[in-house]
Amino acid sequence: MWSFWICDTQTGVKQLRMWPSASRATRKLNGAGTGSHTFQLRRDGLTRAQHQDLFSEWRRTIVVCWNGRPVYAGLITGSDYSTETGAITVDTAELRTILTRRFPFGIGTYVGGTLIIPNRSLRGLVYQLVFYGTQGARSPVWNLPIIAPTWDEAGDQSRNYFNYEFHTIEAAISELQDVEGGPDIDFAPRWSSTGTLEWELRVGSAAVPRLGGPAFEFNITAAKSGTFNVRLRSNGSKMVTGVFTVGKGSEADMRHGEDATLAVAGGIPSLDVTRQMKDQDDVGILDAHSRSEVATYKAPTKQLSFSVSAADVMDTALPGSTYRLYFKGDEMIDDGWQLMWSLGYSIDLSRNVTIDVQEA
């Protein structure tokens, strides 16, 4: 069953268990999901001061649990309160949102803020960036309860983050996950051994960039498949056949990388685009980003979603879990078992959950 806690964002300490009258949230891999939660304040027995403290933006995080296990944790980013009804609707966003407001250096340390990270794996670069952005007590309100298996890992990758370019931690780790062979990145909420909220930093490896998770299997065509509202969305709006990634410099001195699919008569017409990485002067990295984008968008993005009982999956499901789905006789989807990979899930107060997947 569902349960809800409000926790302190920095310490993870539970403030109060509350039950919303409405709630929905989306958990995302390689991004930040959002949520909306409505609480009725006139029958909870709390004071005005307690309400103001509990729903404080960024200081507080709403944790949604299934059978006591955190399946979504969103920092409060805003609220809408009605004096007529006494209801407050609270907007939340997953932890990664705060990284759009973090640099490798803090206020007052700009002068020495250039960050040079040599000889790391892509995962090691992510570890280092998240460390600089959330650890080290740069101020009393800097550290966040993020747990990583290590904060370092050697490899053949290097990055320079110059202070005058003001790279946010979010922009920097996004570049790493989007480059060719880039790892999946996930901040998974969980309870610590002492019962406080913390986030486990999950990052794919060089050998297996894609994160995994527990596996599930459903026969979509069975009379009692356990699934419903199965939808297939195909989107070709981002398709490309070629990419120029534009780097540092101007005119004849401008760096760029490029890649394209093999042109075939009667195939997809040429769809060439440019992408900007004006802070990058390494042509190898620019080429790698071009290859990654062509590989990702050379075909339509096909995303399948389906709903299942939360009891069937939510005790162990993670973004990155695999789902084997069986189809037969469908008008659009091929017969047989389809291996799918979870991008995340959406939850509400019902006993069901919607899973978003792509081909594995």
Side-chain angles (χ1 to χ4, degrees):
M1 62 185 302
W2 300 112
S3 59
F4 296 79
W5 287 91
I6 298 181
C7 294
D8 180 82
T9 299
Q10 270 201 280
T11 66
V13 172
K14 294 174 180 174
Q15 304 298 299
L16 190 68
R17 184 173 180 173
M18 297 188 73
W19 185 258
S21 58
S23 178
R24 57 180 176 80
T26 300
R27 175 102 155 75
K28 283 188 176 181
L29 186 66
N30 294 327
T34 58
S36 177
H37 322 270
T38 300
F39 299 89
Q40 303 295 330
L41 305 187
R42 287 185 181 157
R43 55 175 183 256
D44 64 13
L46 301 177
T47 66
R48 180 189 306 116
Q50 287 174 308
H51 288 147
Q52 292 171 347
D53 179 68
L54 283 170
F55 300 115
S56 177
E57 285 86 353
W58 301 103
R59 291 179 58 241
R60 304 300 186 215
T61 295
I62 293 180
V63 184
V64 183
C65 300
W66 175 261
N67 290 337
R69 172 183 178 250
V71 295
Y72 171 86
L75 283 64
I76 295 175
T77 58
S79 62
D80 184 357
Y81 170 67
S82 169
T83 60
E84 293 182 4
T85 65
I88 188 170
T89 297
V90 180
D91 298 322
T92 61
E94 288 190 282
L95 179 72
R96 191 161 164 171
T97 299
I98 207 170
L99 301 184
T100 65
R101 292 164 170 81
R102 292 287 177 97
F103 300 95
F105 50 87
I107 301 297
T109 59
Y110 169 83
V111 173
T114 292
L115 178 60
I116 308 298
I117 311 179
N119 304 319
R120 303 298 199 278
S121 66
L122 289 173
R123 177 164 64 180
L125 290 171
V126 174
Y127 287 150
Q128 290 275 277
L129 285 162
V130 174
F131 177 85
Y132 277 95
T134 66
Q135 311 297 310
R138 298 177 188 279
S139 78
V141 290
W142 186 264
N143 285 10
L144 294 169
I146 297 171
I147 307 300
T150 178
W151 290 113
D152 205 354
E153 184 175 271
D156 61 357
Q157 297 286 318
S158 300
R159 292 292 190 277
N160 299 331
Y161 302 101
F162 297 103
N163 56 357
Y164 54 80
E165 290 174 335
F166 284 97
H167 292 272
T168 65
I169 299 300
E170 169 60 24
I173 66 173
S174 291
E175 183 268 320
L176 295 172
Q177 77 184 24
D178 292 341
V179 75
E180 184 181 36
D184 287 337
I185 302 172
D186 183 40
F187 294 84
R190 69 184 189 185
W191 297 127
S192 71
S193 59
T194 58
T196 60
L197 174 67
E198 63 185 21
W199 283 269
E200 176 190 5
L201 176 57
R202 305 169 63 225
V203 187
S205 67
V208 187
R210 181 170 284 181
L211 285 174
F216 302 91
E217 187 174 285
F218 295 96
N219 183 344
I220 300 292
T221 61
K224 295 183 179 180
S225 69
T227 63
F228 59 98
N229 195 27
V230 182
R231 302 178 67 90
L232 175 64
R233 297 175 180 84
S234 182
N235 184 356
S237 64
K238 294 184 178 180
M239 285 178 64
V240 299
T241 61
V243 175
F244 294 101
T245 304
V246 180
K248 274 187 178 179
S250 61
E251 299 180 351
D253 293 327
M254 187 174 65
R255 305 288 194 273
H256 86 278
E258 60 183 71
D259 190 56
T261 59
L262 179 64
V264 178
I268 296 169
S270 292
L271 304 169
D272 296 339
V273 299
T274 61
R275 296 291 181 253
Q276 301 292 321
M277 293 190 69
K278 296 300 291 181
D279 55 359
Q280 184 57 253
D281 62 357
D282 188 319
V283 173
I285 292 174
L286 295 170
D287 279 336
H289 273 279
S290 295
R291 291 193 297 269
S292 177
E293 180 140 356
V294 168
T296 301
Y297 296 112
K298 66 183 178 182
T301 301
K302 294 185 183 294
Q303 188 166 328
L304 189 80
S305 66
F306 59 95
S307 296
V308 295
S309 169
D312 289 340
V313 297
M314 292 312 291
D315 283 328
T316 58
L318 288 168
S321 287
T322 55
Y323 292 80
R324 290 185 72 236
L325 307 175
Y326 184 78
F327 295 87
K328 188 172 180 62
D330 189 83
E331 288 77 9
M332 281 293 290
I333 301 174
D334 293 339
D335 290 349
W337 289 100
Q338 311 284 338
L339 183 61
M340 301 287 181
W341 169 70
S342 171
L343 303 172
Y345 48 76
S346 299
I347 54 181
D348 54 30
L349 289 183
S350 73
R351 294 287 182 143
N352 302 315
V353 58
T354 298
I355 310 293
D356 292 315
V357 294
Q358 286 184 351
E359 290 183 359

